[in-house]
Amino acid sequence: MKKIILSLLLLCLAKNYANAQANTYYMGPDPAPFYNNTTITTCKGVSGVEIYDDGTGTGAAYYADGDNLVLTFCSGGGPIKINVTLADIASGDHLYIHDGPLATSTQIGNITNVSTTLGQAFTSSGTCLTLVFKSNNDGVVGEGFSAIIGCQPTGCGGNPVAGDNCATAPVICDLNSYCGNTSGWYTADNENIATGEGYGAFDDYQYYGTQFTEGNSTFCGSIENNSWIAFVAGATNPKISMTSSNCVDGSSGIQAVMLSASGCSSFNQVSTSCISQGSGPGSFTLTGSGLTIGQTYYVMIDGFAGNYCDYQITNFTGVQVYSISSSTTTVCANASATLSITPTNATSYAWTASTGGAITGSTTGSSITATPSVTTTYSCAIVGNTGCTTTLTQVITVTSAPTLTLSAPSYTTCLNVPVVFGASGTTTYTWTPTTGMTG
């Protein structure tokens, strides 16, 4: 008897039909929420196959004999990737991946006779990938598969996107507006730093990793779709606040940890905790301990059990970023202001100004003297000492000179007969010469 379906984000987690998550696409022959011979246009989702109870009452669940299911995912523009994170597919049964919108498109993947955590990813050459799931009628079935669907991520706030591995992690110069996601575009790497076991129906295929050595902390669990960003410590105990949201599986969120790395092969946890949002998305703070100022560190972000979530870095302290300052932001025409970049350890500086903004001195140093004739935006393109790049701007506002009025009853007088002068048009006045002046 068909009794339950399994969430395709966690094939081990039984759910009622009514609890199916948005952006979760079950392959199956039945009506909604199942899909067959259908094209889905999305850049965010998870997929798998309809699962049946084996009738033993033990909680084990399997796909059916005789399946012949087709489901196409298209991005709507640009390539799309399917990251198969888990699979338990019996010999003779197959999950085929085709590069294109049809089941007859070029086959680029064939997963069969496997029961493990996979992390195999398949990327389209165009805008679509097609999944074909076939099971024979030999009476031997497995627990199915779980896949994350994602498109190529884009950055926000002018920051680059997170790297798919430690070696490609961008060093972020300004974390305040950094955002990203844990999409299927990211594939698992450095699984040796994961700890704990597999989950649910996949406990027989659990993966044990190597624990971190920092204090008593370990990473929070398995790794399915981790990504990496890097930063330079500006304090020994930096804090990075993050918020996860818009998850495919609303019952969980993301995982995150702060790491030191030697050659991106040997890692130690340097945050006081590893965050694992096992009960849903939300906000948290990673706090570093004992970091060396000026050294590069990493933040690894992973979907909880492969969850697809968005995240935003909302605040940071103790992270070395470049900033611009000015001795004054308001001047009279052709008066001067000093603009400076700190810290002064960047590899290069390139100052420019909008029309009417003169620069005195070198335009390739950490500071300049600005002498604008009109309100001007000054910019400095910086290449940091770790290779990160950023452009900072400062507006210098030029105010108009006051219109002064000078008045006197007479400008001709006899010796030692006073003339009373009056002035108006501004707030402060300095009279010269002072000799023979009173008042």
Side-chain angles (χ1 to χ4, degrees), residues 165-320:
N165 52 61
C166 172
T168 60
V171 179
I172 306 302
C173 300
D174 181 4
L175 296 177
N176 268 326
S177 57
Y178 193 85
C179 67
N181 57 50
T182 58
S183 81
W185 193 266
Y186 294 109
T187 55
D189 70 286
N190 286 289
E191 294 99 326
N192 63 300
I193 65 178
T195 59
E197 59 182 45
Y199 31 82
F202 282 87
D203 279 346
D204 290 341
Y205 317 111
Q206 56 195 237
Y207 180 86
Y208 289 93
T210 303
Q211 294 187 352
F212 292 122
T213 58
E214 180 71 19
N216 295 319
S217 298
T218 62
F219 186 58
C220 314
S222 59
I223 292 175
E224 286 81 26
N225 52 339
N226 59 330
S227 57
W228 301 74
I229 60 175
F231 67 93
V232 177
T236 59
N237 59 338
K239 295 182 179 180
I240 300 178
S241 298
M242 304 178 69
T243 298
S244 62
S245 62
N246 198 24
C247 299
V248 169
D249 183 354
S251 66
S252 65
I254 66 176
Q255 302 178 135
V257 66
M258 192 183 298
L259 304 169
S260 64
S262 176
C264 280
S265 60
S266 177
F267 299 88
N268 282 304
Q269 180 179 330
V270 295
S271 52
T272 56
S273 62
C274 173
I275 302 300
S276 183
Q277 296 182 313
S279 58
S283 300
F284 60 88
T285 298
L286 287 175
T287 301
S289 177
L291 276 63
T292 301
I293 295 175
Q295 183 171 315
T296 300
Y297 295 89
Y298 298 86
V299 177
M300 188 182 77
I301 305 145
D302 187 51
F304 183 93
N307 202 357
Y308 188 142
C309 298
D310 298 330
Y311 65 83
Q312 175 86 40
I313 292 179
T314 57
N315 189 33
F316 73 89
T317 59
V319 177
Q320 186 181 101

Side-chain angles (χ1 to χ4, degrees), residues 24 52 74 77 110 131 155 165 250 253 270 306 327 373:
T24 302
Y52 297 85
C74 295
N110 177 12
L131 302 181
N165 52 61
V270 295
S327 58
S373 59

Side-chain angles (χ1 to χ4, degrees), residues 30-58:
D30 291 353
F34 303 110
Y35 297 85
N36 188 26
N37 295 315
T38 301
T39 296
I40 305 294
T41 300
T42 184
C43 278
K44 182 173 186 176
V46 293
S47 185
V49 293
E50 180 186 15
I51 307 297
Y52 297 85
D53 192 332
D54 69 347
T56 64
T58 63

Side-chain angles (χ1 to χ4, degrees), residues 319-362:
V319 177
Q320 186 181 101
V321 294
Y322 292 96
S323 62
I324 189 170
S325 62
S326 178
S327 58
T328 181
T329 58
T330 303
V331 297
C332 294
N334 301 314
S336 297
T338 300
L339 278 66
S340 303
I341 302 295
T342 55
T344 58
N345 61 359
T347 301
S348 68
Y349 309 86
W351 292 89
T352 56
S354 59
T355 302
I359 297 175
T360 302
S362 172

